[in-house]
Amino acid sequence: MAGKRIKSAREGIERVKSYPLDQAVKLVKERATAKFDETIEIAMNLGVDPRHADQMVRGVVSLPNGTGRTLRVAVFARGPKAEEAKKAGADIVGAEDLVESVQKGEINFDRCIATPDMMPLVGRLGKVLGPRGLMPNPKVGTVTNDITSAVKDAKGGAVEFRVEKAGIIQAGVGKASFGDTQLAENIRAFTDAVQRSRPAGAKGTFIQRVALSSTMGPGVRVDTASLGAGSAN
């Protein structure tokens, strides 16, 4: 049955055709027919080789309409900063006790934030948090003394992105229940942020290919020219 459903979902989509963003969003949403609210995902093929330090692409963007997900946020902090984190809405707050929990494999959070003074302690967790993409990093605003803003951003729709080995960035940019305009705004904000993160070592066409899909649906290619001026260069 799954094969039939996928085959049916692919009907009406030309695999090699790139659709204008608004049309691509409609095609993806129409095929998001699962019994749950599917995540709308973006995949971007970039003209970089992340094995070279000067071609790494990494950043964070606050989507204008949020992600539709409720993230659990952990904060490594002590004293007044720990209290600030709790007031801002952090789900888990701690110091040595939180490090111990993570070392035991108790990772009950989706985003991790730390104050700068906690990094010598948090640094011990690199092998645990790093592979999961959870290691706090000042480049994406998750190592900061402005705990209130960091927690609210994480809760309100901030999405981290990092290019993978094959030169691909993938992220969730909303839910199938979002309106077409909301999704298009989120997608443009995301691709603009990636474009702004173009590294010095990138040569030629930076954003080479973009595709959208829902959690259970087929991919739909997007015409990069429809994402905004300069997106493909």
Side-chain angles (χ1 to χ4, degrees):
M1 288 296 291
K4 286 185 177 179
R5 189 190 68 78
I6 293 170
K7 186 177 180 181
S8 175
R10 284 178 177 156
E11 289 179 2
I13 297 174
E14 295 180 42
R15 286 194 180 188
V16 297
K17 179 177 178 179
S18 294
Y19 294 87
L21 177 59
D22 294 349
Q23 189 177 353
V25 166
K26 288 182 185 297
L27 288 169
V28 170
K29 283 189 62 180
E30 287 169 1
R31 287 155 178 79
T33 57
K35 292 181 180 179
F36 62 93
D37 192 5
E38 296 183 50
T39 297
I40 303 302
E41 300 167 353
I42 189 169
M44 303 178 68
N45 292 68
L46 305 180
V48 296
D49 182 348
R51 291 175 298 180
H52 299 287
D54 66 345
Q55 295 187 47
M56 174 55 68
V57 180
R58 184 172 189 174
V60 64
V61 56
S62 290
L63 300 182
N65 301 299
T67 63
R69 287 183 63 204
T70 301
L71 296 184
R72 287 181 59 79
V73 177
V75 176
F76 288 91
R78 293 191 182 97
K81 287 297 178 183
E83 291 304 312
E84 181 183 339
K86 291 173 185 176
K87 288 180 182 177
D91 300 280
I92 304 168
V93 181
E96 284 82 1
D97 55 333
L98 183 51
V99 169
E100 191 175 324
S101 295
V102 172
Q103 286 174 329
K104 290 178 182 176
E106 297 171 10
I107 303 175
N108 303 312
F109 49 86
D110 308 295
R111 185 67 55 83
C112 186
I113 297 164
T115 54
D117 63 296
M118 292 297 297
M119 286 311 293
L121 193 64
V122 178
R124 302 175 194 169
L125 303 174
K127 290 182 180 179
V128 181
L129 297 179
R132 293 173 170 82
L134 293 171
M135 193 67 184
N137 189 306
K139 291 182 180 179
V140 294
T142 48
V143 177
T144 177
N145 277 314
D146 190 356
I147 293 296
T148 298
S149 294
V151 171
K152 289 184 176 177
D153 283 347
K155 289 279 190 180
V159 175
E160 287 186 39
F161 56 85
R162 182 174 181 168
V163 69
E164 299 168 8
K165 287 181 181 179
I168 298 172
I169 281 179
Q170 300 183 75
V173 289
K175 293 288 186 177
S177 59
F178 283 22
D180 291 7
T181 301
Q182 288 179 305
L183 283 171
E185 288 174 350
N186 277 3
I187 292 162
R188 286 195 171 100
F190 186 87
T191 55
D192 283 350
V194 172
Q195 176 67 34
R196 289 196 301 273
S197 300
R198 177 177 179 145
K203 306 299 181 186
T205 301
F206 179 50
I207 298 177
Q208 298 184 337
R209 193 166 68 191
V210 176
L212 300 177
S213 64
S214 63
T215 306
M216 306 293 288
V220 177
R221 287 192 186 186
V222 181
D223 179 2
T224 56
S226 68
L227 294 169
S231 289
N233 297 319

